[in-house]
Amino acid sequence: MKLLAQMAAKYLLEIENGSEPSLENENEEKARISTECFRIKKSWTDLLFSPVKDHVMRRYIGFQQQIILETADSLYKQIESSKKTSAQEIYPLLKVSDFLLECLLGLKDFQLQYFNNYIDDGGKLPDAAISTVRKRMTEAAEKVSATLQNVELDVKLRACICDYLGDIIMMQPDSLLNYRSAEYLISFTETIAVTTDFTDNRDLTQIVTEALFYMNFNHHNFFQWYQETIEVRKLSLRPQDQLPMLMKQLLVLKSMPVMTSMSFDPKVQPINSQLESWLGEYIKHETVHLEMSEIELPDKIELKLTVAQLALLIRLLYEEDVFAMKNIAALLRFFSNHFMSKKQEHISYGSMNKLYYSGDQFTGYAVRELLLKMVAKVNKMFFPT
């Protein structure tokens, strides 16, 4: 990168002085630039297969990224100025400078493609790339905005998404762009486009909501929409059903997958953390206004399993070290006290303990079928073929 920066400085000085390179020198300079870019890419690629630690790689790639930015911005500014005011005799020099600028942007794209986890995503995009990136962002935002007008989606959720896309469409031409905002918008629009095309028996609003959670869309409008949705759902229920619904919703939030490595706003908490905090406080507030006697909480949870099947499942989990507790007697007592089978409302510890050690083949078959169904469901959810 140092050689390219030196070449850029040399070209800038020659442009200012009005130097005129020969055609032979122009071609020679372009060949030097191409050779150096090839060497840089090879050097970077070698790092991918080296034992260099991540923090060292991140610092190195970030340093290279900054050199590309500073060199490209200096060249771009001078080239644009010279194209308007310079004499025709320095056009060959401008062509070489243009070629170098194009190669620098190519190195930027190479970093994005192969070193995406190491670049400084808060860094500014080179000025020469902004117009192209902004055009791509605007076109993507306009396309998704138009698509959303023709799908059955909650009106307020649609407005929330379109507000974000509208800000992108109305972005000022001279506004700065960083890698994060550009990459997030492109990923966002691609995900929404695929989601709205997805055919499923489920409500599209629910599917889009899950997609927004996954993309960590921690936009204030989405946060507010989700709050209002919970409150509307609560008011539609009988008083005795409201708190269980809120508690169930809190469990849903805790299990919602969120890609925390990306976000609409990195300075704000992930969307699931924000909503979990809010809903947790909301549940506490609601609980204060209820008498404990009015809260219908089941003493035991009913399972669609026999005691023998439950005992075998516990044994499998225990032997796979799923439980941090190593006291099997305490675990069996816990399950006996808090669960009931489809045939027995009361499960004795003695019965559970006996079946834990003496399951039969019929029980094993039933549990195996259950586990196979679960594996099939995981494959369908995360490894579709």
Side-chain angles (χ1 to χ4, degrees):
M1 286 304 303
K2 184 178 180 181
L3 178 58
L4 291 183
Q6 291 173 346
M7 294 171 77
K10 171 190 170 186
Y11 299 152
L12 289 173
L13 183 61
E14 289 181 351
I15 291 174
E16 289 178 4
N17 295 334
S19 302
E20 179 182 356
S22 66
L23 183 60
E24 180 182 352
N25 190 45
E26 175 188 338
N27 293 333
E28 182 182 321
E29 289 295 302
K30 286 183 178 180
R32 287 181 63 202
I33 293 169
S34 297
T35 300
E36 179 62 12
C37 287
F38 178 81
R39 187 197 66 79
I40 291 171
K41 289 179 181 179
K42 184 179 184 304
S43 175
W44 288 350
T45 303
D46 290 342
L47 283 175
L48 289 174
F49 304 98
S50 70
V52 176
K53 294 183 178 179
D54 281 356
H55 73 277
V56 176
M57 179 81 86
R58 191 169 289 108
R59 187 167 62 240
Y60 174 76
I61 293 299
F63 176 70
Q64 301 287 299
Q65 177 186 345
Q66 187 62 27
I67 295 177
I68 290 173
L69 172 66
E70 293 173 358
T71 308
D73 278 358
S74 297
L75 268 177
Y76 180 70
K77 182 179 179 181
Q78 186 64 55
I79 289 170
E80 291 301 299
S81 174
S82 298
K83 283 180 178 178
K84 298 174 183 177
T85 60
S86 298
Q88 186 172 355
E89 52 266 20
I90 71 161
Y91 279 3
L93 186 55
L94 288 177
K95 287 182 181 179
V96 175
S97 299
D98 260 330
F99 181 76
L100 174 55
L101 179 58
E102 182 181 336
C103 289
L104 288 169
L105 296 182
L107 290 175
K108 181 266 297 180
D109 292 337
F110 188 85
Q111 279 192 332
L112 274 175
Q113 183 175 359
Y114 297 103
F115 298 88
N116 191 266
N117 292 333
Y118 301 108
I119 66 169
D120 175 15
D121 57 6
K124 185 181 82 70
L125 282 167
D127 292 337
I130 287 179
S131 61
T132 301
V133 174
R134 181 179 288 114
K135 180 182 178 184
R136 184 184 174 199
M137 292 172 66
T138 301
E139 289 175 350
E142 288 175 341
K143 183 177 180 180
V144 172
S145 293
T147 299
L148 291 176
Q149 306 308 315
N150 300 312
V151 296
E152 294 184 5
L153 190 66
D154 179 271
V155 174
K156 291 185 178 180
L157 180 58
R158 179 191 292 122
C160 166
I161 298 173
C162 287
D163 282 348
Y164 164 53
L165 298 176
D167 289 341
I168 300 298
I169 295 170
M170 300 302 294
M171 188 187 302
Q172 294 298 320
D174 57 348
S175 58
L176 299 180
L177 276 178
N178 60 31
Y179 287 84
R180 180 190 298 112
S181 58
E183 185 176 358
Y184 185 81
L185 182 277
I186 297 302
S187 297
F188 183 93
T189 52
E190 289 176 349
T191 302
I192 295 298
V194 171
T195 304
T196 52
D197 284 342
F198 188 68
T199 56
D200 196 308
N201 293 328
R202 291 184 300 163
D203 178 33
L204 182 60
T205 296
Q206 178 62 28
I207 300 174
V208 171
T209 300
E210 292 174 2
L212 293 176
F213 266 93
Y214 182 76
M215 291 184 290
N216 195 11
F217 187 52
N218 54 351
H219 194 289
H220 173 70
N221 287 352
F222 180 55
F223 175 78
Q224 191 173 37
W225 171 83
Y226 201 90
Q227 285 181 314
E228 293 174 357
T229 301
I230 297 297
E231 290 170 351
V232 169
R233 189 180 305 170
K234 168 180 166 285
L235 293 174
S236 69
L237 299 173
R238 298 177 302 171
Q240 61 267 36
D241 295 330
Q242 292 177 355
L243 188 58
M245 183 279 291
L246 293 175
M247 296 174 73
K248 180 180 178 181
Q249 194 60 45
L250 184 59
L251 290 176
V252 170
L253 281 175
K254 289 180 180 294
S255 64
M256 196 83 78
V258 177
M259 183 75 74
T260 54
S261 60
M262 65 189 303
S263 63
F264 163 73
D265 187 348
K267 298 186 292 296
V268 177
Q269 277 188 315
I271 186 64
N272 59 328
S273 299
Q274 293 185 62
L275 286 167
E276 282 177 30
S277 298
W278 164 77
L279 189 52
E281 290 300 317
Y282 191 56
I283 289 173
K284 289 180 183 178
H285 180 269
E286 290 296 304
T287 305
V288 169
H289 295 84
L290 292 173
E291 295 294 333
M292 291 303 297
S293 59
E294 296 177 355
I295 304 175
E296 298 179 4
L297 295 176
D299 295 329
K300 292 187 176 183
I301 299 175
E302 182 180 357
L303 301 175
K304 294 181 178 179
L305 298 170
T306 65
V307 178
Q309 291 166 1
L310 175 60
L312 178 55
L313 271 177
I314 295 171
R315 181 173 180 176
L316 292 173
L317 293 172
Y318 181 81
E319 293 183 356
E320 289 299 321
D321 290 327
V322 173
F323 301 114
M325 177 185 289
K326 297 305 177 184
N327 188 334
I328 187 59
L331 283 171
L332 293 177
R333 283 194 176 89
F334 175 84
F335 280 93
S336 299
N337 292 332
H338 293 88
F339 294 89
M340 55 185 175
S341 74
K342 64 181 181 179
K343 293 181 179 180
Q344 290 179 244
E345 183 174 343
H346 174 71
I347 302 175
S348 69
Y349 166 73
S351 173
M352 180 74 83
N353 186 63
K354 178 182 178 181
L355 291 169
Y356 179 87
Y357 292 103
S358 60
D360 55 31
Q361 191 176 46
F362 181 77
T363 301
Y365 176 81
V367 170
R368 186 184 67 177
E369 290 302 302
L370 174 62
L371 294 175
L372 288 174
K373 286 182 181 179
M374 294 167 70
V375 170
K377 186 168 289 187
V378 169
N379 286 334
K380 182 177 180 181
M381 291 169 64
F382 300 104
F383 310 101
T385 55

